[in-house]
Amino acid sequence: MAKRETARDDLLAALAEVFRAHGYEGATLSLISEATGFGKGSLYNFFPGGKEQMANEVLAAIDCWFNEKIYTPLRTASDPAKGIVEMYAATSDYFRSGQRVCLVGVVALGASRDLFSGKVKVYFAGWVDALAAALRRLGDGTAEARRKAEQAVLEIQGALVLARAFDDPKVFSRALKESERRLLAT
Amino acid sequence: MAKRETARDDLLAALAEVFRAHGYEGATLSLISEATGFGKGSLYNFFPGGKEQMANEVLAAIDCWFNEKIYTPLRTASDPAKGIVEMYAATSDYFRSGQRVCLVGVVALGASRDLFSGKVKVYFAGWVDALAAALRRLGDGTAEARRKAEQAVLEIQGALVLARAFDDPKVFSRALKESERRLLAT
DNA sequence: GTCTATAAAGCGATAGAC
DNA sequence: GTCTATCGCTTTATAGAC
């Protein structure tokens, strides 16, 4: 996390937005070049592996962000219930109330899934596991905690689909609020 | 629905599988040509509008199928609860227990959303509305029925994402079973 | 109605000047 | 480290033979 990595992190953030907006197949090098301000030559200097390496590093950066900002707090919060509340808040922020898509979810549904299946699994497993850990600390049994955690993650992904389909952020906000309420009830 | 339309329906079904497997951007004419057995010339004879027309007709056919097999039964079943049970069964069949993706959901999340936003909205609105109608017949108020219906459709879409991410049909089956149980409770 | 051949544009990726 | 020029290939789409 040294300062000299900031430049690459910024670049990865810009790349992530292009992949989110156009998907892996649709994110052409021309679009990437335009969005990042770098020529193709520079891009291949940063990522000798081309588009595939770009996407792999973007997915790794996303996983890293979620680990740091969501999964770890969820596991270590002194009050697990507060950790869950903060998870929903951070999730809503991250996805801009449903106007920003989940790149990992898009990849999971898309044709490029096979290329990145490892990273996709790690991302979702990390989320479900961290949430299940918090629920166990709230008193749920192992199986019940896992079931509820899976359900919550699934609701977030479904809310993103429906919010995009209806082009209505309120669908997302409403769904997340309900999901949080249900998860913390009893 | 005349018999002479069957050939085009079969063609649209084959096209749908290509779009599901590769997404709109990834479904190249070469892939489509291979999957359908028609040369590019023939494809442009059937669909002068090219790929965009193909996708539009595929989405229309999907909407038609859901209307006929799911939305209408949901509205007209003499027993609304039975209609809901059958909706979940038909949904699980249609998506092959989560191994088949929802093309409309994929389009909603993808870059081609703007091209097909009308059809995407109609599909999901049709589903939510039909399900809400069944729930009202079961005694729910307008707002409550709509809320529950939206939640159920969202759960189905989320279950597809998670099942694909984990590459595990059981995730889908479990989620649908739970969703059905919750919807029919009380 | 179906094909092959081909056009024109865009793709990912590379080479080499600076 | 960044660029322009370019390669070889694939893309969508069209033209024209059969």
Side-chain angles (χ1 to χ4, degrees):
Chain A
M1 310 297 153
K3 196 173 168 188
R4 49 177 244 279
E5 287 292 342
T6 300
R8 179 166 270 251
D9 286 348
D10 290 350
L11 176 52
L12 286 175
L15 283 175
E17 289 310 320
V18 180
F19 282 122
R20 260 188 272 270
H22 300 93
Y24 180 70
E25 291 83 7
T28 67
L29 287 186
S30 310
L31 284 168
I32 293 171
S33 185
E34 194 183 351
T36 60
F38 288 109
K40 294 180 193 182
S42 299
L43 291 171
Y44 274 91
N45 180 52
F46 290 131
F47 306 96
K51 244 176 84 167
E52 191 174 331
Q53 183 183 355
M54 294 180 205
N56 259 312
E57 291 200 25
V58 164
L59 290 175
I62 289 172
D63 191 54
C64 185
W65 189 92
F66 271 81
N67 263 292
E68 193 180 326
K69 304 288 186 188
I70 299 194
Y71 307 164
T72 299
L74 212 42
R75 289 181 184 281
T76 61
S78 57
D79 177 1
K82 202 180 152 207
I84 289 175
V85 169
E86 280 166 3
M87 179 202 85
Y88 277 100
T91 301
S92 180
D93 271 11
Y94 182 82
F95 293 121
R96 312 254 194 281
S97 303
Q99 298 190 278
R100 197 199 215 187
V101 117
C102 176
L103 178 58
V104 193
V106 171
V107 169
L109 287 183
S112 57
R113 178 184 67 145
D114 297 344
L115 271 177
F116 309 110
S117 63
K119 290 221 163 60
V120 168
K121 273 179 194 156
V122 163
Y123 171 86
F124 282 112
W127 203 337
V128 171
D129 289 350
L131 187 49
L135 289 169
R136 277 199 305 276
R137 290 208 286 146
L138 281 176
D140 282 327
T142 309
E144 175 75 353
R146 198 190 157 71
R147 197 193 57 72
K148 281 190 190 171
E150 217 169 80
Q151 170 72 17
V153 172
L154 160 172
E155 284 171 344
I156 292 166
Q157 293 296 315
L160 286 169
V161 174
L162 223 59
R164 287 268 298 186
F166 288 139
D167 207 5
D168 183 1
K170 286 197 294 293
V171 171
F172 185 76
S173 310
R174 208 186 309 151
L176 251 65
K177 211 177 126 193
E178 272 299 293
S179 180
E180 176 182 334
R181 188 189 59 72
R182 229 174 297 117
L183 204 59
L184 291 174
T186 62
Chain B
M1 309 294 155
K3 196 175 169 188
R4 50 174 245 278
E5 288 292 342
T6 300
R8 179 166 270 249
D9 286 348
D10 290 349
L11 177 53
L12 286 176
L15 283 176
E17 290 309 320
V18 181
F19 282 123
R20 260 188 274 269
H22 300 93
Y24 180 71
E25 289 85 6
T28 67
L29 288 186
S30 310
L31 284 168
I32 292 171
S33 185
E34 194 184 351
T36 60
F38 288 109
K40 295 176 194 183
S42 299
L43 291 171
Y44 275 94
N45 180 50
F46 289 130
F47 306 96
K51 247 175 78 166
E52 190 173 333
Q53 185 184 354
M54 295 181 204
N56 259 311
E57 290 199 24
V58 164
L59 290 174
I62 289 173
D63 191 53
C64 185
W65 190 93
F66 271 81
N67 264 291
E68 193 180 325
K69 305 287 186 188
I70 299 194
Y71 307 163
T72 299
L74 212 42
R75 289 179 184 282
T76 61
S78 59
D79 177 2
K82 202 179 150 207
I84 289 175
V85 169
E86 280 166 3
M87 178 202 84
Y88 276 101
T91 301
S92 180
D93 272 11
Y94 181 83
F95 292 120
R96 312 262 143 82
S97 302
Q99 299 190 277
R100 197 199 216 188
V101 115
C102 176
L103 178 57
V104 194
V106 171
V107 169
L109 287 184
S112 56
R113 179 183 67 145
D114 297 344
L115 271 176
F116 309 111
S117 63
K119 292 222 161 59
V120 168
K121 273 180 195 156
V122 164
Y123 171 85
F124 282 112
W127 203 336
V128 170
D129 289 350
L131 187 49
L135 289 168
R136 277 198 306 274
R137 288 208 287 146
L138 280 175
D140 282 328
T142 309
E144 175 76 350
R146 199 190 157 72
R147 198 193 56 73
K148 283 188 187 171
E150 216 169 78
Q151 170 72 16
V153 172
L154 159 172
E155 284 172 342
I156 292 166
Q157 294 296 315
L160 286 169
V161 175
L162 224 58
R164 287 268 298 186
F166 288 141
D167 206 3
D168 183 0
K170 286 197 294 292
V171 171
F172 185 76
S173 310
R174 206 186 311 153
L176 250 65
K177 212 178 124 190
E178 271 300 293
S179 181
E180 178 182 334
R181 188 190 60 72
R182 228 174 299 117
L183 204 58
L184 291 173
T186 64

